[in-house]
Amino acid sequence: MLIRPIVILFFICCTNIILAQTPAINSQKFDKKAGASLTYGDKILKIKWPAGNNDYGQVELDMENGKPLFSRILLGKVKSAKLVSSNLDPSFLLTIGKRDLVSQNGWNIFFDKVPKKPFKTYDVKLEKSSAVVETVGSHTVVKISSLKADSFNGDLEITFYNGSPLFNIAAVMATDIDSSAIVYDAGLVSQAPEWETVSWINTADSLQTTNMVPTDTSKNIAVKYRTIAAKGKQGTLALFPAPHQYFYPLDEAFNLKFTWYGNNYRKMVDGYGIGIRQDLQGDKRFVPWFNAPPGTKQRLNFFCLLSTEDENSTFSAIKKFTHNDAYVKLPGYKTMSSHFHNEFIMNVVLANKPIPEVPDFVKVFKRTGVDIVHLAEFHYTAHPKGPDEQRLKELHALFEQCKRLSDDRLLLLPGEEPNEFFGGHWLSLFPKPVYWIMSREKGLAFSENHPSYGKIYHIGDKKDMLKLLEQENGLAWTAHARTKGSVETPDLYKNEDFFLSDHFMGAAWKPMPADLSQPRLGKRVLDLMDDMNNWNLKKTVISEADLFTITPENEMYAHMNVNYLMLDSLPKFTDSWQPVLNSMQKGRFFTSTGEVLMPSLTINGKQSGETLQLDDSGLATVKLDLNWTFPMNFVEVISGDGNKVYREKIDLTKTEAFGSQSLQFKTKLSDRTWVRIEAWDIAANGAFSQSFYIAK
C-alpha cells in the first residue's frame, strides 16, 4: 500500500527535474503579425524572418547547455532554403581595465593609457537558463539568459532585421565596479567547422581567399571594410562590427588587424572561428578603450550577413552598408572634413624629400568622397612664433601645396591648430591665404607689408587674435572640446569677447569618449551644443577627425565623419573660400558618419541656422527627408528654453535596411529658444543638424 505514493512522488520529482532543465521561452511580446515566425520544440527555438528578395532567413537556436547555440543557419525560399552554416557558438572575450577618473575630467578623459595599467581578459560564459522573444518594430529580438565575465553580468541578445539577411549578436553586460574600461573580441566558433574557405578584402582592396583547415592556428589580419567571411557548400556567412561604434578614439587610424580566423584564438577560444578583434595597445599613444560606467548595459556586438552567393557577391552586399566606405554625393551639398595633422609640409616638402605628384592622403580623401579638407598642419612641428622668415616660408609652402593639390574634385584648405592666446586647443580657418606670426614684440606693428608675401600680421594676445579674425573674416573654434587639451574649454572662456564674437564659430565634434551602452556617438559635444544654445549663443559645431596619418592602408572610414555643407558648387582655391566659412558659421549643414543622411530638413519652413516663428499653439511642423543603409533606430527632437534641455524621440524601428522616408510631424516648442534634430540607426551611425532658433 505504500509503494504507489512513493512511485507517484518519484515521477513527480523526475518531471520537475526535466522541467527545470528545459529553458523557459517567454514570447508574450512577440507579434506574429510583424513578419517573423517562431516555434519551440525539443529545446530548439526556430526564428524565421523575411530577408528580402522573397527569401527567408532561418536560425535554429539549441537551448540545451553544452550544445552549439546556432544549430543551423539557413537562407532562401520557404521550401528550398540553403544551409549557410551549422553548429556555431558565439564567442566573446571581454578585457577589463581601469579608467583614470581623477587626473583630468572623469569619463571624458582622452589622455589615458589603460593598457599600461593592470588588466585581464575573460571568456564570457553563457548559461542557457531562459529566453525572451519579442518584436521591436520590424525586428525580432531573442534575449537568452545569462552571461557572466568577472564582475560583468547580462544576457545574450540576437536581433533579426526584416527585409535583410542581417542579424546582430550582442553580449549585453553591466558591472557595478566603478572606473571600468573595456574592449572586446568576438566571433562565431565551431568544434567541427563545415566551412570550405575563409575570405576577406585586403588593404589593397583585393579579395583574398584561403582554404579552411580546422587545425590552423588563428591569425589576425588587416582588412578593408572590417569584414571576414566563411563559405560553405551552400552559402556564405560574413561577420563585421558596427562601422564606427566599434572603434574607440585614437590619434591614429592605423589598421591594427581588426579581424581574425582560425583555431584556438588567443589561446582562449576553443574551436575554429571567424571574428573581430581589438588591439589592446591601440596606436601606442593615448589608448582610452571603452567607458563602462557602473550600471550601464554595454553592447559587445557584431553583425552577420547571410548569402547564398559567392564571396564576391557577399562582400558587395556588405560594402553597400557604408557606400563602399565613401560619402555619397547629395545635390546642393559638398562634403567637408576637418582636423588632419598630416604634416606633409614639414615632413616632406620642407624636409627636402621627393614630393609626389599626388600624395597618398589626397588619394584617400578623393576615394572617400570628401570634397573639402581642412588641414591642421604645424602641430608642434614648425615655428609658429618665428623667426619670422622661417614661419613665413612654412606658411608659403603650405599655401602653394594646397593650391597645387586642389582641383575640381577636392578643395584642400590650409589650416592650423594654433593653441595660443585663447586657452585650450582651437582651430582656425581663413577664406584665403593669410600670413600671420604668433608673436608680437613690444613696439612691433600689428600688420605690415612684406616684400615677398604682402601683408603679414604679428599676433601677441587674444585681442590681436580676435582683431585678425575680424579683419580677414576668419573663423576659430574649440577643438575636441571638454577633453584632450581642451578639458576646461569652451566653458572657461564662454564670457570672453572673442568667444562671444561671430568669428568664434563654436566647437568640433568627434565621437569620444566611446561608450557601447549609448545608442548614439559623441555625446560629449552633443551635450555641449545644447549648453551653448542654453547660454543663448548662436554657435555651430562641425565634425572633426583629429587624425595624424592618412594612408590607403589605414582604417580611415571607421574614424572619419563629414559635414554636408549647403553649397551648390565647389569653390576654386584661387577664389575666395568664403562660401565654405559662411555655411560653417551660419549652421547651413548637417553632420554624418556616412550611413544616415538628411537631404532636407525644415522646421516651420526654416532651415538650420535660421530663426522660426511659432503661432499661438506653440506647435512647429518638422519636415525631414532621411536616407539610410542600416535600419533606423530613432529620430530625436532636442530643444531648450535657456535652462533645461527637452527630448522627444520618434521611434523608427519599423524601418528596414536601405530605405528613405519623408517624415512630417508636429512638435511642441512653447517657451523654447532653440531646437535641433538627430537621427541614429541600429549600429549607432547617425546624422545631426545644426540648431534652429525660435523667435520670442
Side-chain angles (χ1 to χ4, degrees):
M1 295 296 294
L2 295 175
I3 294 177
R4 183 174 294 173
I6 293 173
V7 171
I8 292 172
L9 181 62
F10 174 78
F11 279 110
I12 291 173
C13 290
C14 289
T15 301
N16 286 339
I17 292 171
I18 293 171
L19 290 174
Q21 291 176 343
T22 302
I25 306 298
N26 183 339
S27 60
Q28 291 180 351
K29 294 184 179 180
F30 176 75
D31 184 357
K32 298 178 182 179
K33 299 178 181 179
S37 65
L38 75 85
T39 59
Y40 184 55
D42 297 327
K43 297 184 181 180
I44 300 294
L45 175 62
K46 296 182 181 180
I47 303 292
K48 184 183 293 184
W49 77 100
N53 297 320
N54 296 316
D55 286 337
Y56 282 84
Q58 181 174 314
V59 168
E60 299 178 2
L61 301 173
D62 194 327
M63 295 300 295
E64 182 176 347
N65 282 304
K67 297 287 186 68
L69 178 63
F70 289 89
S71 177
R72 296 201 307 162
I73 303 173
L74 305 98
L75 178 68
K77 308 305 177 187
V78 175
K79 296 182 179 179
S80 58
K82 294 182 179 180
L83 181 66
V84 176
S85 284
S86 62
N87 297 318
L88 299 176
D89 266 315
S91 176
F92 293 90
L93 298 180
L94 176 61
T95 302
I96 307 172
K98 285 290 183 183
R99 281 294 250 153
D100 174 3
L101 302 183
V102 177
S103 66
Q104 286 195 352
N105 54 339
W107 290 106
N108 277 341
I109 183 175
F110 175 81
F111 292 145
D112 200 357
K113 297 183 178 181
V114 176
K116 296 288 186 181
K117 294 172 283 190
F119 63 84
K120 189 173 181 180
T121 301
Y122 299 88
D123 183 16
V124 177
K125 300 293 186 182
L126 172 63
E127 181 73 23
K128 305 171 191 173
S129 59
S130 62
V132 175
V133 185
E134 61 180 315
T135 301
V136 180
S138 65
H139 314 160
T140 302
V141 183
V142 180
K143 298 181 181 180
I144 302 174
S145 298
S146 59
L147 295 174
K148 183 171 180 59
D150 191 48
S151 66
F152 281 76
N153 296 276
D155 302 314
L156 184 72
E157 290 189 7
I158 309 169
T159 306
F160 306 95
Y161 304 101
N162 285 2
S164 176
L166 179 75
F167 61 96
N168 180 271
I169 303 175
V172 184
M173 308 182 76
T175 182
D176 293 328
I177 305 299
D178 202 7
S179 70
S180 295
I182 62 172
V183 291
Y184 72 96
D185 304 345
L188 290 171
V189 181
S190 177
Q191 297 298 317
E194 299 176 354
W195 297 318
E196 296 178 342
T197 59
V198 175
S199 301
W200 63 92
I201 296 178
N202 66 15
T203 57
D205 216 3
S206 176
L207 180 66
Q208 305 292 301
T209 300
T210 185
N211 291 329
M212 194 282 296
V213 180
T215 57
D216 278 356
T217 303
S218 69
K219 298 178 181 179
N220 305 332
I221 52 174
V223 306
K224 280 186 68 65
Y225 312 109
R226 302 156 296 279
T227 303
I228 188 85
K231 184 176 180 297
K233 292 181 179 180
Q234 295 185 310
T236 304
L237 169 67
L239 188 152
F240 58 97
H244 302 280
Q245 185 192 45
Y246 183 62
F247 297 86
Y248 59 82
L250 296 170
D251 284 330
E252 298 281 8
F254 296 148
N255 194 315
L256 299 173
K257 299 183 177 181
F258 295 109
T259 60
W260 62 271
Y261 74 93
N263 187 53
N264 196 24
Y265 173 64
R266 287 186 65 182
K267 298 182 180 180
M268 294 185 69
V269 175
D270 186 19
Y272 187 102
I274 60 173
I276 57 174
R277 61 176 296 277
Q278 285 283 5
D279 189 301
L280 301 183
Q281 302 299 322
D283 60 12
K284 297 182 173 60
R285 289 170 59 90
F286 297 101
V287 184
W289 292 6
F290 295 101
N291 287 347
T296 58
K297 293 184 177 181
Q298 300 293 316
R299 288 186 60 85
L300 322 178
N301 73 98
F302 60 90
F303 290 91
C304 296
L305 189 81
L306 308 179
S307 174
T308 56
E309 306 293 331
D310 62 13
E311 300 93 331
N312 266 315
S313 297
T314 303
F315 277 102
S316 293
I318 295 285
K319 289 189 285 185
K320 289 179 182 178
F321 283 99
T322 58
H323 305 292
N324 291 350
D325 279 13
Y327 302 101
V328 298
K329 305 298 182 184
L330 287 180
Y333 291 90
K334 296 298 177 184
T335 55
M336 177 264 192
S337 194
S338 175
H339 202 155
F340 296 95
H341 300 300
N342 194 44
E343 301 302 340
F344 180 69
I345 301 304
M346 298 304 297
N347 293 341
V348 178
V349 177
L350 295 182
N352 294 318
K353 294 181 181 179
I355 301 175
E357 181 178 352
V358 182
D360 278 349
F361 73 92
V362 171
K363 296 176 183 177
V364 169
F365 289 134
K366 286 185 174 181
R367 187 180 64 197
T368 52
V370 182
D371 301 315
I372 305 166
V373 173
H374 173 233
L375 298 175
E377 292 284 278
F378 310 140
H379 191 53
Y380 304 119
T381 64
H383 304 82
K385 296 184 178 181
D388 289 6
E389 291 303 318
Q390 183 66 37
R391 162 69 171 173
L392 296 173
K393 177 183 177 181
E394 292 163 358
L395 283 173
H396 183 70
L398 173 61
F399 299 152
E400 288 299 301
Q401 287 300 316
C402 286
K403 178 181 176 181
R404 181 180 74 87
L405 296 171
S406 294
D407 56 25
D408 59 356
R409 291 180 54 199
L410 177 69
L411 175 60
L412 192 61
L413 296 180
E416 296 181 80
E417 185 180 346
N419 303 341
E420 297 285 344
F421 314 122
F422 291 156
H425 288 201
W426 54 280
L427 269 73
S428 64
L429 175 62
F430 295 96
K432 65 178 182 179
V434 173
Y435 289 93
W436 62 293
I437 299 155
M438 300 181 203
S439 64
R440 183 183 177 193
E441 296 180 6
K442 187 176 181 180
L444 192 62
F446 171 71
S447 65
E448 61 179 316
N449 287 318
H450 188 279
S452 299
Y453 304 114
K455 193 171 187 178
I456 66 171
Y457 295 90
H458 288 90
I459 308 302
D461 57 25
K462 58 188 176 184
K463 291 183 179 179
D464 280 352
M465 191 66 230
L466 176 56
K467 186 177 178 181
L468 172 62
L469 292 171
E470 290 171 343
Q471 287 199 8
E472 293 293 349
N473 212 21
L475 288 181
W477 60 91
T478 307
H480 40 73
R482 294 178 172 174
T483 190
K484 283 195 167 185
S486 301
V487 168
E488 297 179 312
T489 59
D491 305 71
L492 191 65
Y493 50 61
K494 68 178 183 178
N495 296 317
E496 294 264 11
D497 288 343
F498 68 82
F499 185 72
L500 297 175
S501 166
D502 290 342
H503 292 278
F504 203 100
M505 185 188 71
W509 173 89
K510 179 178 179 175
M512 62 178 179
D515 185 332
L516 296 167
S517 70
Q518 295 288 329
R520 75 191 83 215
L521 303 177
K523 183 177 182 293
R524 168 185 55 93
V525 175
L526 296 176
D527 287 347
L528 173 61
M529 286 183 71
D530 301 336
D531 289 342
M532 290 191 297
N533 282 327
N534 275 341
W535 297 341
N536 295 316
L537 301 175
K538 293 184 178 181
K539 299 297 181 182
T540 61
V541 169
I542 65 164
S543 67
E544 65 180 352
D546 194 4
L547 296 172
F548 284 74
T549 308
I550 300 101
T551 72
E553 295 78 23
N554 276 5
E555 179 46 78
M556 295 299 299
Y557 185 77
H559 295 275
M560 286 277 287
N561 46 64
V562 294
N563 306 283
Y564 276 83
L565 305 184
M566 296 180 192
L567 293 172
D568 291 324
S569 61
L570 187 66
K572 294 181 179 179
F573 185 89
T574 51
D575 296 335
S576 171
W577 321 315
Q578 193 63 52
V580 175
L581 279 73
N582 288 344
S583 291
M584 294 166 59
Q585 183 185 41
K586 295 178 180 179
R588 295 179 62 81
F589 65 94
F590 70 87
T591 295
S592 175
T593 57
E595 300 79 9
V596 181
L597 301 174
M598 295 179 172
S600 178
L601 169 63
T602 62
I603 303 180
N604 278 6
K606 298 294 185 179
Q607 294 181 323
S608 59
E610 297 180 337
T611 300
L612 60 93
Q613 298 280 343
L614 296 176
D615 60 22
D616 292 340
S617 72
L619 292 172
T621 300
V622 178
K623 294 182 179 180
L624 170 63
D625 290 345
L626 277 181
N627 297 340
W628 62 83
T629 56
F630 290 86
M632 288 299 298
N633 191 357
F634 62 89
V635 161
E636 192 159 32
V637 180
I638 302 104
S639 62
D641 59 10
N643 293 296
K644 295 181 180 180
V645 176
Y646 303 85
R647 296 178 178 274
E648 178 186 357
K649 187 174 288 188
I650 293 92
D651 182 83
L652 293 180
T653 54
K654 289 186 178 181
T655 60
E656 298 181 357
F658 303 106
S660 63
Q661 187 172 341
S662 294
L663 301 174
Q664 181 171 328
F665 56 89
K666 291 187 179 296
T667 184
K668 190 80 169 178
L669 295 177
S670 300
D671 301 319
R672 309 293 163 80
T673 57
W674 58 270
V675 61
R676 63 183 186 85
I677 305 292
E678 295 180 13
W680 301 93
D681 70 18
I682 52 92
N685 309 307
F688 60 88
S689 78
Q690 292 304 293
S691 300
F692 298 71
Y693 305 101
I694 303 171
K696 294 182 180 180

